[in-house]
Amino acid sequence: MTSTHAFWLAGREATGDDSFDVTSPWDGRHVASVSVPTDAQVEEAVAAAHAVVEEFAATPAHVRAAALDHVSKRLTERTEEIAQLISAENGKPIKWARGEVGRAVSVFRFAAEEARRFNGGEAQRLDTDGGGVGRLALTRRFPKGVVLGIAPFNFPLNLCAHKVAPAIAVGAPIVLKPAPATPLSGLVLGELLAETELPAGSWSILPVANDKMPALVQDDRLPVISFTGSDKVGYAIMDSVPRKHCTLELGGNGAAVVLADWASEEDLDWAATRIATFSNYQGGQSCISVQRVIADAAVYDRLLPKIVAAVESQVTGDPSDSATDVGPLVSEDAARRVESWVDEAVAAGATLLAGGKRDGASYAPTVLTEVPAGTTLACEEVFGPVLTVQRVDGEAEAFAAVNSSKYGLQAGVFTHDVQTAFRAHRALEVGGVIVGDVPSYRADQMPYGGAKASGVGREGVRYAMDDYTYERVLVLTGLAL
């Protein structure tokens, strides 16, 4: 038995009665067989997490920080091995997989640093009114309870890290469910956590089937749910447990706005390169990939051919090849869905300038213009290597086009004008505005989340730690202040 075949139950390696196969989206080869927890084992994990709540919350900060530092160090040591695993189970080009491991290294390092300084307490004098003479308030944060973390397939290591690391940092037990298509990266995290001295029950990694999740979501012993995935599933979870604390990191159809002052050839070359790269990285399977380009009429005619050329220069093929930019989608069904959306848009009158072809689970990097407003592609998150380009007249029309979406995760604004940057920050209904670049930039320590149908709450290590905890006030009386 190897760790990739097992799961992690209350900090120990375990196997169930059944298993499922993980196969490569690129060539269909068998990658691993993963054991599935029984109902009894899932109950054991939840019970163990519930039982350790008080002990884990009281664990000294240095113990939690040391465990997080250990995982960060071991990820660094095993970078190439884990990157190969990500690429095999996900189909992600190896260069992007290596980058994902590097980001997870940082997430655990940030969490270790935050664990050492978090929850130090804030003192507040109360004698600002007569009734508060001799009183001092001390506010500290305490875990809300066990976290149920539900991770997606597109960043199978780093988005598991964003669930697990903040929970450990604050002393909140976590039960993690990795995506069924990509469980191996999460199980590797379990292997590394098992090398630490964290108390039994403080973490479990359970590759259970999606149809087992409603019972876990409803379980009162799991008061915090952190979910990353589709808006349909995320809001269904929230609606089913209205009294639980839910952090939902949902979809987006990220817009890159190119304004009139971004007009030199060098500017437009940079924008085109960044747009092409980040509409296709991860096969477009990122909620902040570039799906929409909104270009001012003053630059549109020069920018469009540069975008098409940059998209067509993306190297597609075997994800294990370091030269590959764009690999397959996570499954052939996913590629078929993207194909159907593009075909629908073209049939409705959109102009196809590049791509538009499917080969198994792979879909060619695609550019369209004049996409009718009512098409699925214009309204929903494509989650594939597809880009639409729209002409607008002026800043106000560009910002209105961004806000016309039901989503509001991040937007990129290409401008040199600082006043425009601040107007964008005020006007755009999104969780993050990236000036001078695409919406796909994310630093793992910054607050990350969206508005409207893109979710509620924020990730980013410190911000997730706030989300997993609540303030508790202690008032001391009779003090000579």
Side-chain angles (χ1 to χ4, degrees), residues 315-331:
V315 178
T316 62
D318 186 345
S320 67
D321 187 336
S322 294
T324 297
D325 299 311
V326 187
L329 276 69
V330 72
S331 68

Side-chain angles (χ1 to χ4, degrees), residues 142-208:
F142 294 86
K144 293 173 179 174
V146 183
V147 177
L148 173 60
I150 307 172
F153 69 81
N154 56 327
F155 289 85
L157 178 69
N158 198 42
L159 293 184
C160 285
H162 271 287
K163 310 298 181 192
V164 172
I168 292 172
V170 300
I174 181 164
V175 175
L176 177 72
K177 177 203 176 297
T182 56
L184 305 177
S185 302
L187 294 175
V188 166
L189 282 184
E191 183 179 342
L192 303 184
L193 287 167
E195 298 170 354
T196 72
E197 297 180 0
L198 294 174
S202 58
W203 59 273
S204 293
I205 299 175
L206 305 179
V208 296

Side-chain angles (χ1 to χ4, degrees), residues 147-400:
V147 177
L148 173 60
I150 307 172
F153 69 81
N154 56 327
F155 289 85
L157 178 69
N158 198 42
L159 293 184
C160 285
H162 271 287
K163 310 298 181 192
V164 172
I168 292 172
V170 300
I174 181 164
V175 175
L176 177 72
K177 177 203 176 297
T182 56
L184 305 177
S185 302
L187 294 175
V188 166
L189 282 184
E191 183 179 342
L192 303 184
L193 287 167
E195 298 170 354
T196 72
E197 297 180 0
L198 294 174
S202 58
W203 59 273
S204 293
I205 299 175
L206 305 179
V208 296
N210 288 340
D211 61 9
K212 297 290 186 180
M213 291 312 296
L216 280 171
V217 167
Q218 295 287 336
D219 197 308
D220 289 338
R221 295 168 295 178
L222 306 172
V224 179
I225 298 174
S226 179
F227 170 84
T228 301
S230 73
D231 56 311
K232 179 180 179 181
V233 175
Y235 285 119
I237 289 173
M238 177 177 277
D239 290 345
S240 73
V241 285
R243 291 177 176 81
K244 288 194 177 190
H245 179 87
C246 293
T247 298
L248 305 179
E249 299 297 337
L250 307 178
N253 54 3
V257 176
V258 185
L259 294 175
D261 70 300
W262 199 269
S264 72
E265 292 303 314
E266 183 180 4
D267 283 345
L268 296 178
D269 287 342
W270 163 257
T273 298
R274 298 293 285 177
I275 287 165
T277 298
F278 288 98
S279 65
N280 294 293
Y281 85 128
Q282 329 291 338
Q285 297 169 121
S286 167
C287 48
I288 48 175
S289 67
V290 184
Q291 182 171 334
R292 299 181 291 154
V293 175
I294 299 165
D296 192 281
V299 298
Y300 179 92
D301 289 334
R302 289 190 295 140
L303 176 64
L304 181 59
K306 292 177 183 290
I307 290 175
V308 172
V311 167
E312 290 180 332
S313 72
Q314 295 285 298
V315 178
T316 62
D318 186 345
S320 67
D321 187 336
S322 294
T324 297
D325 299 311
V326 187
L329 276 69
V330 72
S331 68
E332 187 166 346
D333 284 345
R336 288 184 184 278
R337 178 191 54 77
V338 172
E339 178 182 43
S340 71
W341 288 16
V342 172
D343 289 350
E344 177 201 25
V346 171
T351 300
L352 180 67
L353 299 180
K357 297 179 180 179
R358 182 183 64 83
D359 181 8
S362 296
Y363 196 79
T366 297
V367 181
L368 303 101
T369 60
E370 300 173 339
V371 176
T375 58
T376 308
L377 186 60
C379 301
E380 301 295 335
E381 178 182 37
V382 66
F383 226 60
V386 177
L387 181 67
T388 69
V389 187
Q390 174 183 356
R391 183 197 302 262
V392 295
D393 290 311
E395 174 189 308
E397 188 175 332
F399 291 172

Side-chain angles (χ1 to χ4, degrees), residues 261 395 413 415-426 435:
D261 70 300
E395 174 189 308
V413 180
T415 182
H416 294 291
D417 184 31
V418 69
Q419 295 293 343
T420 301
F422 277 97
R423 286 195 298 271
H425 195 214
R426 178 178 294 276
V435 175

Side-chain angles (χ1 to χ4, degrees), residues 2-15:
T2 67
S3 61
T4 53
H5 294 141
F7 56 86
W8 297 93
L9 171 59
R12 72 178 192 277
E13 197 173 35
T15 56

